[in-house]
Amino acid sequence: MLSDQEDLIYKYFPELVRRCDLKQIVKELSFYESSMKHAIVRMKDDGNRLHSNRCILFELLKMQITTWFDEFVQILRRQNLHELANKLYRTRSKHRGRVLIINNITFAYKRREGAEVDEDNQKVLFERMGFDVELHRDLQSFEMKDVTSEFASRVNYDICIFIIMSHGEKIKNQTVILGIDNIGVEEDFFIEQFNNKNCLSFKYKPKIMFFHVCRGDRLYTDMIICHPSIDGHKAHRDPIRGCWYMELVCKVFMENAYKTHVENMLKLADKYLSRRISETTRQTSVFHNIGFKTCFLHPGIYEE
């Protein structure tokens, strides 16, 4: 087993023990009959599921078969344990990742001097890390759309990285990226190409996106803007307990503000939020960092 995979199992060990039926899961592993069955049979069945799960995980961690981790993650998905499976990203295959770089340099009215350097640095970086890099220069607006949509349909890669560098502007509170024809494409178009509906090949896989474009004058700094849900989606409000998001923000801040900075507390609140499911609602919070530095709230500490 690879060391980083082992680290992930240990990191989520308590959660796997608590939430999974590991006896059933291991029976679906391809090597169960040859390698795991006898170990399971030897285990004393005292009806304690948590104890059995711990023993099974330790048996798995001792296995010399390096492929079981990937099988294990896929079985978690089949059993609708998507939240757990999503924590265990598979990022060690030969098809490590694919990078799309769109670099618009030459415009009729202004050239983006130095953009070639950024492009070269990115290409060298990701190729040395084992990624396949697809590079496009000087695209018109419709070409940016076509290239992005086609790229999002690619399969058999662990990680997706999308980089677009161009001129941009802010129109009606929307970031717009310009093609060399000076026609803009809303940033949301590119993001939507990689959602779980449009980009099935990268569903449940990490997607990293960089938009290197101007967005108007720099009037806003030192802000972190938080929302309880993704734009266009509902936020759950319980008539008894209040809003899920604000309940969890208050809980996390109360318990962690003395030792944890604000951005990490927001991530922790979102982690708890992702575990809540109602009959009609599942929610993901978002926050936007605008030049916001590391900030501790330091409860109870006062300086003159």
Side-chain angles (χ1 to χ4, degrees):
M1 187 180 188
L2 300 170
S3 60
D4 57 341
Q5 296 172 347
E6 184 176 338
D7 290 343
L8 278 171
I9 293 295
Y10 278 119
K11 181 177 180 180
Y12 296 108
F13 195 100
E15 208 166 343
L16 289 166
V17 167
R18 187 177 69 253
R19 299 181 58 192
C20 295
D21 181 358
L22 291 176
K23 274 192 175 181
Q24 183 58 42
I25 286 175
V26 295
K27 288 178 181 178
E28 297 186 39
L29 293 170
S30 61
F31 56 85
Y32 173 73
E33 290 291 335
S34 61
S35 304
M36 281 296 296
K37 188 174 182 179
H38 294 303
I40 299 296
V41 170
R42 287 198 309 269
M43 289 179 191
K44 183 180 179 182
D45 189 359
D46 58 1
N48 187 330
R49 183 181 63 86
L50 299 182
H51 176 70
S52 295
N53 279 349
R54 283 191 287 269
C55 293
I56 291 169
L57 277 179
F58 284 128
E59 287 293 331
L60 285 171
L61 287 164
K62 291 190 291 185
M63 299 292 295
Q64 298 300 311
I65 301 170
T66 58
T67 57
W68 77 261
F69 180 86
D70 297 334
E71 282 191 61
F72 184 76
V73 171
Q74 293 308 314
I75 295 167
L76 289 178
R77 294 200 196 290
R78 289 202 296 271
Q79 296 200 0
N80 291 319
L81 293 165
H82 297 294
E83 180 195 337
L84 271 175
N86 290 348
K87 293 174 178 177
L88 308 175
Y89 285 134
R90 179 179 184 267
T91 58
R92 291 293 296 263
S93 79
K94 292 180 180 178
H95 301 289
R96 180 63 42 81
R98 190 164 183 86
V99 183
L100 174 61
I101 301 173
I102 297 175
N103 190 14
N104 292 336
I105 300 175
T106 307
F107 291 77
Y109 59 94
K110 188 176 182 181
R111 194 174 190 279
R112 295 180 57 248
E113 299 294 344
E116 299 97 330
V117 179
D118 297 327
E119 176 188 296
D120 291 341
N121 287 339
Q122 292 162 4
K123 192 170 185 295
V124 169
L125 166 68
F126 290 112
E127 285 181 345
R128 288 183 178 178
M129 292 173 66
F131 287 73
D132 293 335
V133 177
E134 180 179 333
L135 174 63
H136 296 269
R137 266 196 192 183
D138 292 341
L139 299 185
Q140 299 182 65
S141 54
F142 74 91
E143 292 173 319
M144 292 195 298
K145 288 184 173 183
D146 290 345
V147 163
T148 304
S149 299
E150 194 274 335
F151 174 84
S153 66
R154 300 290 175 83
V155 295
N156 294 330
Y157 288 90
D158 295 346
I159 305 170
C160 165
I161 298 178
F162 174 77
I163 303 170
I164 189 164
M165 300 176 286
S166 187
H167 285 306
E169 53 192 3
K170 200 81 169 176
I171 300 177
K172 295 181 179 178
N173 208 34
Q174 283 283 340
T175 298
V176 172
I177 295 122
L178 299 179
I180 61 167
D181 53 1
N182 207 35
I183 297 174
V185 180
E186 289 185 354
E187 182 182 82
D188 284 350
F189 168 84
F190 298 103
I191 296 171
E192 286 170 5
Q193 302 315 298
F194 296 93
N195 67 26
N196 288 337
K197 179 180 177 181
N198 295 325
C199 186
L200 293 176
S201 59
F202 280 108
K203 190 174 183 179
Y204 304 125
K205 297 180 181 180
K207 295 169 281 286
I208 304 166
M209 310 183 76
F210 296 92
F211 294 91
H212 192 277
V213 296
C214 294
R215 308 175 75 190
D217 295 329
R218 195 166 187 260
L219 301 178
Y220 303 90
T221 66
D222 304 294
M223 290 184 180
I224 192 161
I225 301 171
C226 309
H227 294 281
S229 62
I230 297 169
D231 190 25
H233 293 261
K234 293 180 179 179
H236 186 84
R237 178 169 48 83
D238 188 289
I240 305 299
R241 299 174 63 173
C243 299
W244 279 358
Y245 179 64
M246 291 313 303
E247 176 193 352
L248 290 169
V249 166
C250 291
K251 173 181 169 62
V252 168
F253 276 46
M254 285 177 185
E255 294 176 353
N256 297 277
Y258 74 97
K259 62 178 180 179
T260 308
H261 63 75
V262 170
E263 194 164 348
N264 276 356
M265 287 193 289
L266 292 171
K267 291 177 182 178
L268 186 57
D270 183 65
K271 175 184 175 182
Y272 294 145
L273 183 64
S274 68
R275 297 176 182 172
R276 294 202 174 180
I277 304 173
S278 73
E279 292 182 3
T280 58
T281 307
R282 189 164 188 172
Q283 195 172 326
T284 300
S285 66
V286 293
F287 63 84
H288 183 39
N289 184 320
I290 308 175
F292 189 84
K293 296 176 276 292
T294 301
C295 177
F296 287 88
L297 300 182
H298 295 306
I301 298 176
Y302 304 96
E303 294 180 352
E304 295 296 333

